[in-house]
Amino acid sequence: MRIAGYPIPVICSYCSCDVIYTSNSVIYGKEYGNGRVYKCTGCDAYVGVHTGTSIPLGRLANKELRQLKKKCHTLFDPAWKSKKVKRRQAYSILAFKLGIPVNECHFG
């Protein structure tokens, strides 16, 4: 599995406040998954990390962006979850249609 090299967020792109690396319990009330996130100290923006690393899963996302990403997954994921195409193939098709490299095609 290739892990995209997202830069570690230091300053929030939404409000320009500092971003900290912390437990995801500050968001969910208890730790889930690998338990770590980058979280803005000034607004609700955050991003999780790849398991076993401190590499962000994507970019900081505020509530609006998180809702839009969920909506995209709701529309996109049934194609590969139905086993009509493999997940990688679905992302390859999407990348082709968007005119971007497949390794940059994701909803993170």
Side-chain angles (χ1 to χ4, degrees), residues 20-40 44-53 55 57 66:
I20 58 170
Y21 185 61
T22 188
S23 167
N24 64 16
S25 66
V26 300
I27 296 163
Y28 305 117
K30 70 176 196 172
E31 283 194 357
Y32 286 96
N34 61 24
R36 306 304 290 173
V37 295
Y38 289 99
K39 182 176 182 336
C40 175
D44 71 343
Y46 61 88
V47 62
V49 299
H50 288 278
T51 300
T53 76
I55 299 170
L57 289 167
R66 291 190 303 273

Side-chain angles (χ1 to χ4, degrees), residues 68-78 80 87 91 106-108:
L68 289 169
K69 291 188 329 182
K70 286 178 189 176
K71 189 172 186 177
C72 288
H73 276 292
T74 298
L75 297 170
F76 180 78
D77 291 356
W80 62 267
R87 185 172 187 238
Y91 276 95
H106 60 90
F107 299 108

